[in-house]
Amino acid sequence: MRKMVLAANANAAGSHVGEWRHPDAWDRPAANIANAVRLAQIAEAGKFDLLFLADGNGVRQLDKPDLFRATSPSDRPGVFEPVTLLSALAMVTRRIGLVATATTTYDEPFHVARRFASLDHISGGRAGWNLVTTSNPDDALNFNHSEHVARDKRYDRAAEFAKVVKGLWDSWDDDAFPQDKASGTFLHPEKVHVLNHQGTHFQVRGPLNAPRPPQGHPVIFSAGQSETGKDLSAQHADCVFAIEGNLANAQRLYADIKGRMAKFGRAEDDMRILAGVTIFAGETEEEAEALFQQLEDLVSPAVGVDYLSKMLGRKMRDYPLDEPMPDFDDEHVGHTGIGKGILRVAREEKLTVRETYKRILPQMGGNMFKGSAKQVADTMEEWFTTKACDGFMIAAPVVPTGLERFIRLVVPELRRRGLFREEYEGRTLRENLGLTRPNNQLS
Amino acid sequence: MRKMVLAANANAAGSHVGEWRHPDAWDRPAANIANAVRLAQIAEAGKFDLLFLADGNGVRQLDKPDLFRATSPSDRPGVFEPVTLLSALAMVTRRIGLVATATTTYDEPFHVARRFASLDHISGGRAGWNLVTTSNPDDALNFNHSEHVARDKRYDRAAEFAKVVKGLWDSWDDDAFPQDKASGTFLHPEKVHVLNHQGTHFQVRGPLNAPRPPQGHPVIFSAGQSETGKDLSAQHADCVFAIEGNLANAQRLYADIKGRMAKFGRAEDDMRILAGVTIFAGETEEEAEALFQQLEDLVSPAVGVDYLSKMLGRKMRDYPLDEPMPDFDDEHVGHTGIGKGILRVAREEKLTVRETYKRILPQMGGNMFKGSAKQVADTMEEWFTTKACDGFMIAAPVVPTGLERFIRLVVPELRRRGLFREEYEGRTLRENLGLTRPNNQLS
């Protein structure tokens, strides 16, 4: 049986908005390379498949001073650029995969192909590219746009972008560089392939000025859950990062994405789907619950109320914290179903304003598994064996102790059940994921 | 007295076109991270100020199969992307500066500002950006252009690009991120500066999503020797990489560039000018000469003749190698004065075709100092003390042994004369170069 894939968030910041204030959390987490090195080495010691670095090209919520003041991990402005960070981490690790985010909307295929080829050479075949089309509309303002590129155009561009990047990675045959001193043959000029791509969004001649990457193609990640996003994944992604709140929905999404692969000539086994989850694991269920509560208490009311305001689409600052949630008319709440759901729960359980924001904040990091090692392993096994996912993208509530605790408590339980590796199977990320090395399409 | 600046080419490839075939040269130099690590550590042990990585975004001379077959270092297609390589090298070095090339013509200021800020954080203040406008016209074809951007437009864009990058580096005050767990103050929202740049070439809102770099601004390098290039350097560059073939011309260029700084409100001491030079150093003059001859013999006739053809702008393959150079009409040779100069020398010295290409090939790496340690140190001292330069960008003829030999033979001689450091003066590249840390212009 194939083993479960385990991926760790490389952000050196926990998934919970109150995390950074916890005594066990890193001191001074902003752009701190020592923390990032330590985190990478913890994950590698746990035999994780890969480190994953989410990213955006801008600072969010400039308009929300309080949220901005104690920002959530993905909104924090004190971060590294992903590829520079993972190149550095390549030198202090040996086997773990290194997956960085890069946007197809505000970058160029030649640059992206080149950086990930370079990272793959530096790391000996451990690079991955998380393809995103950029979700934060404000990033556009940093790239000569007055507004975000429209969704359909972004996805159309992304598909062509991925095609060009793969073509550039195939610029050279694997044996194009004999570098033979005796004969004076540095390279074989007949083993270069000039792409000459002429498309709707791009004209790119090639070839890339790097030898073919050790993996052939660095592993491509994608995460979109819209119709176009799922098609893009089915066509181009080796791994998909999926977020669903419950088992049934995750199973449905898994079948949906894998079911789309055939029309692009791909087999379902050519892709791994990873479920995003924050894991609160304890020696006992009570210990996990206590950590959860401790983090809740580290969220200042200003941050909590601003976050609630954002979810409901209404200013909440003028309502007393410890009185019941106001009974808003459902029609004037939020832009999506989320706001209505929050109000429904608050009404049914008669929650105060404070209780309401505490209830919603943990979901910021997506799904959550909470409990003893056995309870968490049970849930992971169920998701894995019932085709809700091929593995997990794990966010720790507190970094680095949450990851250490997961590795100390849950990973041995997964190993006992034969669900997770004892040792790395291969040298490259593709080998560890059980994915084949792509043939050169231009040869 | 200020010490001389010494910079080493980080390319892990020698400057001479025959270098890679030499027994002492690296085996398998293409995209080889182990070689790059070793080279960085050799240069740091020699207390060099910095590693410098030249770069382009394309493969040159696809139309010249023989040149392509045994390519010169700058034309080699098997290279790392500069910032990924230097991020990796940051983790295996502690004090040496890390200067990477990035183009202003085919990249975005937000991306460049971010990558170099990230490299500066990762390396603890050792990053430098070599600003280029891209010299190889064919690079345009990899970035959706049918021809290279015109020179004037490139330089106009470059000046605005540099201004935006510096503005983005000033997005945050140095003390904007207290990250205080007790009070819950992650950052001070009043210490962010939104750039809101609206210019001819760029609209960039900001702020950058990284704290201010340790150096304030990573060190900016530039190399253009045209009028617009010299003005760009005088306005924006902390260091200039200059190539002149003799002392008088180098002195003239030095005075010219520094003389332009006042009109941009800068003092001459705010800039270091580094002369590019290939150094053949031996225990004796004869040993240096022998190495030089050995390398000449490693250039295959096909490579030599193709290179000569390129310089003269004429096909040279049909002329016998060991007969005198044909007596072409000067009017039909080359596009610049270089071809005419080659013909003049060949005529005066009655050189054969083979002798002619051997004569011109060593100049590919720019200027050349050749001789015993004392002779090389004498020349370096003369250039340094007579204001031809503030230091040198050193290319070794064979890597790594040429650099090791320079450090073993010439560096002690420079130290005896008080011209070069015994130990690093500071922790950051700016400190070692004796350059001040820029104030935040947006505070």
Side-chain angles (χ1 to χ4, degrees):
Chain A
M1 188 183 75
R2 169 159 299 125
K3 306 298 187 195
M4 182 184 283
V5 176
L6 292 184
N9 191 321
N11 213 334
S15 61
H16 190 285
V17 73
E19 179 265 351
W20 73 275
R21 298 184 63 189
H22 192 280
D24 290 347
W26 306 113
D27 287 324
R28 306 197 66 76
N32 186 319
I33 185 68
N35 293 353
V37 168
R38 178 88 189 103
L39 183 68
Q41 292 175 336
I42 290 168
E44 187 168 69
K47 313 294 178 195
F48 271 53
D49 291 82
L50 60 99
L51 293 164
F52 180 90
L53 203 54
D55 191 59
N57 281 289
V59 175
R60 301 188 190 209
Q61 300 173 323
L62 283 169
D63 57 326
K64 300 243 174 21
D66 283 324
L67 260 190
F68 192 53
R69 188 183 300 265
T71 47
S72 77
S74 63
D75 297 336
R76 278 187 196 153
V79 296
F80 292 108
E81 185 279 328
V83 183
T84 45
L85 177 62
L86 294 188
S87 291
L89 297 182
M91 303 305 281
V92 295
T93 54
R94 295 174 58 83
R95 293 299 181 92
I96 197 165
L98 304 162
V99 182
T101 297
T103 176
T104 55
T105 303
Y106 301 113
D107 211 329
E108 291 285 336
F110 193 90
H111 286 316
V112 169
R114 197 177 171 206
R115 284 203 296 276
F116 284 89
S118 195
L119 179 61
D120 209 44
H121 283 289
I122 288 169
S123 64
R126 298 187 282 135
W129 167 35
N130 179 38
L131 182 167
V132 301
T133 69
T134 296
S135 60
N136 181 9
D138 281 2
D139 286 9
L141 307 178
N142 292 327
F143 297 100
N144 308 318
H145 290 257
S146 52
E147 59 184 24
H148 200 21
V149 176
R151 176 177 191 82
D152 282 354
K153 191 172 168 200
R154 292 208 309 276
Y155 275 88
D156 196 51
R157 179 179 159 109
E160 188 180 330
F161 194 114
K163 184 167 174 279
V164 174
V165 167
K166 289 179 177 181
L168 289 170
W169 285 334
D170 286 342
S171 290
W172 303 88
D173 287 347
D174 290 313
D175 59 353
F177 293 85
Q179 308 173 63
D180 182 49
K181 286 182 176 181
S183 66
T185 308
F186 189 81
L187 57 82
H188 291 304
E190 70 281 10
K191 295 193 174 183
V192 64
H193 309 288
V194 180
L195 186 62
N196 281 325
H197 174 85
Q198 299 280 339
T200 309
H201 301 278
F202 301 107
Q203 293 83 51
V204 179
R205 188 188 67 164
L208 197 64
N209 51 353
R212 194 154 189 260
Q215 295 184 100
H217 299 171
V219 177
I220 296 182
F221 277 65
S222 169
Q225 289 178 213
S226 65
E227 293 304 306
T228 44
K230 286 183 283 195
D231 272 345
L232 182 69
S233 293
Q235 185 175 6
H236 287 295
D238 301 299
C239 287
V240 169
F241 177 23
I243 298 179
E244 283 291 358
N246 68 52
L247 183 66
N249 287 343
Q251 289 166 333
R252 201 154 28 235
L253 180 64
Y254 184 97
D256 180 2
I257 295 175
K258 294 228 170 178
R260 293 170 192 244
M261 294 177 73
K263 70 179 170 196
F264 298 107
R266 303 181 65 202
E268 295 196 6
D269 195 46
D270 292 343
M271 180 195 284
R272 303 287 170 268
I273 296 181
L274 309 186
V277 59
T278 298
I279 294 185
F280 287 77
E283 299 274 2
T284 60
E285 184 175 1
E286 292 68 32
E287 188 184 276
E289 184 63 35
L291 172 63
F292 180 78
Q293 288 303 330
Q294 196 181 7
L295 285 172
E296 293 293 89
D297 294 339
L298 289 171
V299 178
S300 74
V303 171
V305 170
D306 261 5
Y307 191 68
L308 186 58
S309 302
K310 184 180 166 190
M311 291 293 106
L312 297 178
R314 301 193 62 136
K315 280 220 166 77
M316 295 298 299
R317 294 210 206 156
D318 297 336
Y319 298 93
L321 277 175
D322 295 309
E323 293 191 14
M325 275 287 287
D327 196 15
F328 296 123
D329 178 353
D330 278 18
E331 295 307 305
H332 297 96
V333 163
H335 305 292
T336 66
I338 297 175
K340 292 182 184 61
I342 293 168
L343 277 192
R344 190 164 52 241
V345 170
R347 237 179 247 135
E348 285 170 9
E349 304 191 21
K350 301 192 197 318
L351 301 179
T352 65
V353 172
R354 191 194 303 269
E355 288 164 344
T356 306
Y357 77 68
K358 284 192 171 186
R359 179 69 61 97
I360 63 166
L361 274 171
Q363 268 71 47
M364 282 187 64
N367 201 1
M368 177 170 59
F369 296 167
K370 190 172 61 177
S372 67
K374 184 180 175 307
Q375 288 172 320
V376 169
D378 284 348
T379 310
M380 292 177 77
E381 180 169 7
E382 183 179 22
W383 281 55
F384 179 63
T385 55
T386 64
K387 297 201 168 187
C389 65
D390 300 308
F392 300 89
M393 184 81 75
I394 293 175
V398 176
V399 178
T401 51
L403 189 66
E404 289 170 321
R405 184 180 286 119
F406 174 80
I407 291 169
R408 182 166 52 84
L409 300 177
V410 183
V411 167
E413 182 64 29
L414 296 173
R415 287 190 178 131
R416 259 192 296 280
R417 303 179 189 192
L419 295 170
F420 187 62
R421 69 165 61 85
E422 301 281 346
E423 197 37 81
Y424 287 106
E425 296 83 9
R427 294 203 67 83
T428 71
L429 176 56
R430 272 189 189 279
E431 286 166 3
N432 287 320
L433 292 171
L435 295 170
T436 54
R437 188 174 188 275
N439 292 326
N440 191 321
Q441 297 299 310
L442 303 180
S443 272
Chain B
M1 188 182 77
R2 169 160 299 126
K3 306 298 186 195
M4 182 184 283
V5 176
L6 292 184
N9 191 319
N11 214 334
S15 60
H16 191 285
V17 72
E19 178 266 348
W20 72 275
R21 299 183 62 190
H22 192 280
D24 290 348
W26 305 114
D27 288 324
R28 305 197 67 76
N32 186 319
I33 186 67
N35 292 354
V37 168
R38 178 86 189 103
L39 183 68
Q41 292 175 337
I42 290 168
E44 187 168 71
K47 313 295 179 196
F48 270 53
D49 291 81
L50 60 99
L51 293 164
F52 180 90
L53 204 54
D55 191 58
N57 281 290
V59 175
R60 301 187 191 209
Q61 300 174 322
L62 283 170
D63 57 328
K64 301 243 173 20
D66 283 324
L67 259 190
F68 192 52
R69 189 183 300 265
T71 47
S72 76
S74 64
D75 297 336
R76 278 186 196 155
V79 298
F80 292 108
E81 186 280 327
V83 183
T84 45
L85 177 61
L86 295 188
S87 292
L89 296 182
M91 304 305 281
V92 295
T93 55
R94 295 175 57 83
R95 293 298 181 92
I96 198 164
L98 304 162
V99 182
T101 297
T103 176
T104 56
T105 303
Y106 301 114
D107 211 328
E108 291 285 335
F110 192 91
H111 287 316
V112 169
R114 197 177 172 207
R115 285 203 295 276
F116 284 89
S118 195
L119 179 60
D120 210 44
H121 283 289
I122 287 169
S123 64
R126 297 188 282 136
W129 167 34
N130 180 39
L131 182 167
V132 300
T133 69
T134 296
S135 60
N136 181 9
D138 281 2
D139 286 9
L141 307 179
N142 292 326
F143 297 101
N144 308 318
H145 291 256
S146 53
E147 59 183 26
H148 200 21
V149 175
R151 177 177 189 82
D152 283 353
K153 191 172 168 198
R154 292 208 310 277
Y155 274 88
D156 196 51
R157 179 179 159 110
E160 188 180 328
F161 194 114
K163 183 166 175 277
V164 174
V165 167
K166 289 179 177 182
L168 289 170
W169 285 334
D170 286 343
S171 290
W172 303 89
D173 289 347
D174 290 313
D175 59 352
F177 292 85
Q179 306 172 65
D180 182 49
K181 286 181 175 181
S183 67
T185 308
F186 188 80
L187 58 81
H188 291 302
E190 71 280 12
K191 296 194 174 183
V192 64
H193 310 288
V194 181
L195 186 61
N196 280 326
H197 174 85
Q198 299 281 338
T200 309
H201 301 277
F202 301 107
Q203 293 83 51
V204 179
R205 187 186 68 165
L208 197 64
N209 51 353
R212 194 156 189 262
Q215 296 184 99
H217 299 170
V219 177
I220 296 182
F221 277 64
S222 169
Q225 290 179 211
S226 66
E227 292 304 307
T228 44
K230 286 183 284 195
D231 272 345
L232 182 68
S233 292
Q235 185 175 7
H236 286 295
D238 300 299
C239 287
V240 169
F241 178 23
I243 298 180
E244 283 291 358
N246 67 52
L247 183 67
N249 286 344
Q251 288 167 333
R252 204 157 21 236
L253 180 64
Y254 184 97
D256 179 2
I257 295 174
K258 293 228 170 178
R260 293 170 192 244
M261 295 176 73
K263 71 179 169 195
F264 298 107
R266 302 180 68 202
E268 296 195 6
D269 195 47
D270 292 344
M271 179 195 285
R272 303 287 171 267
I273 295 181
L274 309 186
V277 60
T278 298
I279 295 184
F280 287 77
E283 298 274 1
T284 61
E285 185 174 359
E286 292 69 31
E287 187 183 277
E289 184 63 33
L291 173 63
F292 180 77
Q293 288 304 331
Q294 197 182 7
L295 285 172
E296 293 293 88
D297 293 339
L298 288 171
V299 178
S300 74
V303 171
V305 170
D306 261 4
Y307 191 66
L308 186 59
S309 302
K310 185 181 166 191
M311 291 293 108
L312 298 178
R314 301 191 64 133
K315 281 219 166 80
M316 295 299 299
R317 294 211 206 156
D318 297 335
Y319 297 94
L321 277 175
D322 293 311
E323 291 188 18
M325 275 286 287
D327 196 15
F328 296 123
D329 178 351
D330 279 18
E331 294 308 305
H332 298 94
V333 163
H335 305 294
T336 66
I338 296 174
K340 294 182 183 62
I342 292 169
L343 278 192
R344 191 163 51 240
V345 171
R347 238 179 246 136
E348 286 170 8
E349 305 189 21
K350 301 191 197 318
L351 302 179
T352 64
V353 171
R354 191 195 303 270
E355 287 163 345
T356 306
Y357 75 68
K358 283 193 171 188
R359 180 69 62 95
I360 63 167
L361 274 171
Q363 269 72 48
M364 282 187 66
N367 201 0
M368 176 170 57
F369 296 168
K370 190 171 62 176
S372 67
K374 183 180 176 307
Q375 287 172 320
V376 170
D378 284 348
T379 312
M380 293 177 76
E381 180 169 6
E382 184 179 21
W383 281 55
F384 179 62
T385 56
T386 64
K387 297 200 168 187
C389 66
D390 300 308
F392 299 90
M393 184 81 75
I394 293 175
V398 177
V399 178
T401 51
L403 189 66
E404 289 170 322
R405 184 180 287 120
F406 174 80
I407 291 170
R408 182 165 52 81
L409 300 176
V410 182
V411 166
E413 181 64 28
L414 296 172
R415 286 190 178 130
R416 260 192 296 280
R417 303 179 189 193
L419 294 169
F420 187 61
R421 70 165 63 83
E422 301 281 345
E423 197 36 82
Y424 287 105
E425 296 83 9
R427 293 203 67 82
T428 71
L429 176 56
R430 271 189 189 280
E431 287 167 1
N432 287 320
L433 293 171
L435 296 169
T436 54
R437 188 173 188 276
N439 292 327
N440 191 322
Q441 296 299 310
L442 303 181
S443 273

